[in-house]
C-alpha cells in the first residue's frame, strides 16, 4: 500500500464569504497550503512562500484536513476553497478533493496557471489567474495555453481572472481576454496597501481603486462581456488573515 503524501497546510478557517473570482460572495471554508513558484511583488499571502510562516506549516493527511474542516465548520458548509500560495504544486491534493466530493462538498481553487495537475479536472470552480506585469512575474503562455486546452476538453467549469493595479496591467488583462475568447473573464481591482491594519481606513482606498477600474473598463470595446470585481473580503476585514 502506497502511503499518502501529507499536505503542507498553513490555515484552515471559515465559514466565510469568498472574496474573489467567479464564486465571489459564496459561503465557503478555506484550506490554505504552503509553497509557491511565484513571488509576486504585491502578494497578500507572502507568508505561504517567503519563510515567515514556516513554523505554522502542518503536514496533514487528507482525512485530517477534512476532520478539521468539519470540527471548525460543523454542518454549516458545503463548499471548500483550496488556496495558497500555489496549490497546483501539490499532486497529493487529489485525495482531499475526492474525500470532499464523497461528502457532497464542492471544491474551488485558484492558481496562476503555471503548473498542470490531473485533479484540475475534478475542481468544481477553478480560477486561472495569470499574473500581470506589476507582479514582477512573467507568464509562460505555452503552459497556460495547454492548461486551458485540457480544461476545455474536459468540459470543466473554469474562468480567467486578472488582478489590475495600473494601465499596464489592464493592457495585459485585455491580452488574456482576447487570447481565451469564450471563457468567463474577471478583472479585479488590486490592493497594494498591505500594511494598513484598520479596515475603516482601507475601505475608502479600496473603493477608489474599484471606481478607477470601473472607469477604465466600461467604455472599452475590447472588454465586452467581462466581470469587474472588488476584492470583497478586504472591504469588510481589510488585510486581516483567516477571514
Amino acid at each position: 500500500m502506497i502511503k499518502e503524501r501529507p499536505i503542507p497546510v498553513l490555515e484552515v478557517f471559515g465559514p466565510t464569504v469568498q472574496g474573489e473570482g467567479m464564486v465571489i460572495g459564496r459561503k465557503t471554508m478555506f484550506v490554505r497550503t504552503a509553497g509557491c513558484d511565484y513571488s509576486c511583488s504585491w502578494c497578500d499571502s507572502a507568508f505561504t512562500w517567503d519563510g515567515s510562516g514556516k513554523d505554522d506549516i502542518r503536514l496533514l493527511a487528507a482525512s485530517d484536513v477534512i476532520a478539521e474542516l468539519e470540527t471548525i465548520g460543523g454542518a454549516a458548509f458545503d463548499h471548500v476553497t483550496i488556496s495558497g500560495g500555489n496549490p497546483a504544486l501539490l499532486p497529493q491534493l487529489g485525495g482531499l478533493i475526492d474525500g470532499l466530493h464523497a461528502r457532497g462538498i464542492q471544491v474551488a481553487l485558484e492558481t496562476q496557471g503555471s503548473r498542470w495537475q490531473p485533479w484540475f479536472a475534478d475542481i468544481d470552480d477553478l480560477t486561472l489567474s495569470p499574473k500581470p506585469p506589476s507582479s514582477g512575474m512573467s507568464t509562460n503562455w505555452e503552459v497556460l495555453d495547454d492548461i486551458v486546452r485540457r480544461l476545455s476538453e474536459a468540459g470543466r467549469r473554469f474562468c480567467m481572472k486578472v488582478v489590475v493595479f495600473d494601465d499596464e496591467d489592464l493592457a495585459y488583462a485585455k491580452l488574456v481576454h482576447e487570447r481565451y475568447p469564450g471563457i468567463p473573464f474577471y478583472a479585479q481591482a488590486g490592493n497594494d496597501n498591505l500594511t494598513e491594519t484598520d479596515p475603516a481606513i482601507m475601505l475608502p482606498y479600496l473603493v477608489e481603486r474599484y471606481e478607477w477600474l470601473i472607469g477604465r473598463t466600461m467604455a472599452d470595446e475590447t472588454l465586452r462581456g467581462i466581470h469587474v470585481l472588488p476584492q470583497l473580503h478586504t472591504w469588510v476585514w481589510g488585510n486581516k488573515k483567516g477571514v
Side-chain angles (χ1 to χ4, degrees):
M1 182 177 179
I2 299 175
K3 186 177 180 180
E4 176 187 14
R5 288 180 62 184
I7 301 167
V9 175
L10 274 164
E11 295 182 298
V12 178
F13 62 92
T16 186
V17 293
Q18 171 59 259
E20 305 182 1
M22 63 181 172
V23 286
I24 189 169
R26 179 72 158 89
K27 182 179 182 180
T28 189
M29 296 288 292
F30 274 86
V31 175
R32 187 182 299 281
T33 62
C36 194
D37 50 335
Y38 278 19
S39 54
C40 297
S41 61
W42 35 252
C43 180
D44 60 3
S45 52
F47 62 94
T48 63
W49 52 263
D50 67 3
S52 61
K54 66 180 187 220
D55 292 337
D56 296 323
I57 298 173
R58 295 175 296 149
L59 298 177
L60 302 178
S63 58
D64 293 330
V65 177
I66 294 171
E68 188 162 333
L69 285 164
E70 292 174 338
T71 297
I72 295 170
F77 71 97
D78 65 354
H79 191 273
V80 170
T81 299
I82 303 173
S83 185
N86 184 12
L89 299 179
L90 305 174
Q92 65 267 42
L93 285 180
L96 174 60
I97 295 161
D98 290 343
L100 291 169
H101 282 161
R103 289 161 173 79
I105 298 169
Q106 293 186 319
V107 182
L109 182 136
E110 179 173 317
T111 176
Q112 59 261 43
S114 60
R115 186 81 61 90
W116 166 261
Q117 292 291 351
W119 49 256
F120 277 16
D122 298 321
I123 297 293
D124 300 288
D125 305 305
L126 179 61
T127 297
L128 299 176
S129 184
K131 305 310 177 187
S134 64
S135 70
M137 301 293 104
S138 59
T139 301
N140 185 323
W141 295 106
E142 184 177 348
V143 171
L144 187 57
D145 286 348
D146 182 63
I147 292 172
V148 169
R149 177 187 60 79
R150 291 179 187 230
L151 289 170
S152 298
E153 290 177 353
R156 299 307 298 170
R157 169 179 158 86
F158 74 103
C159 73
M160 311 296 299
K161 188 194 83 177
V162 174
V163 180
V164 177
F165 288 85
D166 53 33
D167 284 327
E168 188 177 9
D169 287 355
L170 187 58
Y172 175 88
K174 293 180 186 180
L175 175 64
V176 172
H177 186 43
E178 292 169 356
R179 190 179 185 95
Y180 306 110
I183 297 173
F185 183 82
Y186 295 78
Q188 181 177 295
N191 169 25
D192 57 5
N193 188 9
L194 300 176
T195 59
E196 178 56 61
T197 59
D198 187 345
I201 294 175
M202 281 293 295
L203 184 56
Y205 163 77
L206 294 168
V207 171
E208 180 181 345
R209 298 297 304 143
Y210 187 41
E211 288 180 331
W212 173 83
L213 186 56
I214 291 171
R216 298 293 288 148
T217 55
M218 290 303 104
D220 194 318
E221 295 180 359
T222 67
L223 291 172
R224 292 178 294 178
I226 73 165
H227 303 258
V228 182
L229 299 181
Q231 196 179 34
L232 182 61
H233 58 286
T234 61
W235 284 40
V236 181
W237 296 291
N239 292 312
K240 184 178 179 181
K241 287 172 57 179
V243 291

